[in-house]
Amino acid sequence: MSCVPSSLSRSLVPVVALLAGLAGPVWAQQTPLQAQLGTIEAFLDAGDAEGAMNAARALVRLVGETAGFGVWNARLTQDVATGFGVNVPRADNVYAPGEPIYAYVEPFGYSLSPIGGGENQLLFEVSFTIDDPDGRQLTQGMIDMGQINLRTRGEPVDAFFHLTYNITGVSGPATLRTEVIDVATGQVDVFTLPVVFASPPAPAAPSK
């Protein structure tokens, strides 16, 4: 249901005035998400597609803030991802000894921290470990992969990063367990990727 009567036609001033003036019990019972949906509908009713799109992006950010920080769509890739959703999925999860492992990850509910010059920063700390099929951790602690610093002049609702794992000395099935921290808030999420490390080839028999 629209929050703006059709009689308000195309003017944004009545739209904004109406939204600001709605203080009745029905409006007061709305959640912030529901209120933002009403804002989107108001812009659409006013014929302002750009305002509706910006309000929709704000709604996505509000959903992320409400849900909290996390990561999803983590996947093994054939090579380094070059953009959001721009990657070639790995055909299998079997890796030769010393072969680098590439992964694509999409964070959500992340922080946008102003850093001056009209830029915002997304900053994550990443570490990982390796678990065997029984869930036993094979490293003494989490292995630091450093920080991921993404800078933008906008307020993106979509983001991605790629990771490269260089692992030696492990063979057989295992799980890469990776921890991602949103530095600005300290919120943490973990994702896992099952892999198989092929055994090194047996040494050639000495010639007679």
Side-chain angles (χ1 to χ4, degrees):
M1 178 178 295
S2 174
C3 290
V4 178
S6 58
S7 61
L8 291 182
S9 66
R10 305 298 180 187
S11 174
L12 286 184
V13 175
V15 170
V16 174
L18 180 63
L19 291 174
L22 284 174
V26 174
W27 185 259
Q29 293 171 6
Q30 288 188 323
T31 68
L33 294 175
Q34 291 169 331
Q36 189 64 22
L37 284 171
T39 301
I40 296 169
E41 290 186 335
F43 279 118
L44 290 173
D45 286 349
D48 186 351
E50 183 177 345
M53 291 298 295
N54 284 331
R57 292 172 65 85
L59 174 62
V60 174
R61 288 192 293 272
L62 182 58
V63 169
E65 292 171 4
T66 304
F69 172 71
V71 294
W72 66 345
N73 286 343
R75 67 191 69 171
L76 299 170
T77 58
Q78 187 64 35
D79 208 333
V80 174
T82 57
F84 182 80
V86 184
N87 60 81
V88 178
R90 173 88 177 188
D92 59 39
N93 67 340
V94 180
Y95 291 86
E99 182 180 4
I101 299 173
Y102 302 111
Y104 168 89
V105 185
E106 295 176 5
F108 62 86
Y110 45 79
S111 302
L112 286 169
S113 303
I115 55 175
E119 285 190 312
N120 293 314
Q121 173 180 260
L122 290 70
L123 186 62
F124 310 110
E125 291 182 349
V126 184
S127 59
F128 82 99
T129 187
I130 308 168
D131 295 333
D132 70 12
D134 296 322
R136 292 187 293 257
Q137 184 171 307
L138 299 180
T139 65
Q140 291 186 346
M142 300 296 287
I143 300 172
D144 183 20
M145 299 184 79
Q147 290 188 333
I148 295 173
N149 187 340
L150 306 176
R151 295 188 173 193
T152 173
R153 291 191 175 275
E155 296 183 358
V157 296
D158 293 318
F160 83 98
F161 56 84
H162 62 83
L163 298 171
T164 303
Y165 304 82
N166 293 294
I167 298 170
T168 59
V170 181
S171 62
T175 298
L176 302 180
R177 175 162 49 91
T178 305
E179 179 181 274
V180 184
I181 302 173
D182 181 48
V183 173
T185 63
Q187 294 184 78
V188 182
D189 199 13
V190 176
F191 68 90
T192 58
L193 295 168
V195 295
V196 177
F197 296 100
S199 300
S207 57
K208 296 182 179 179

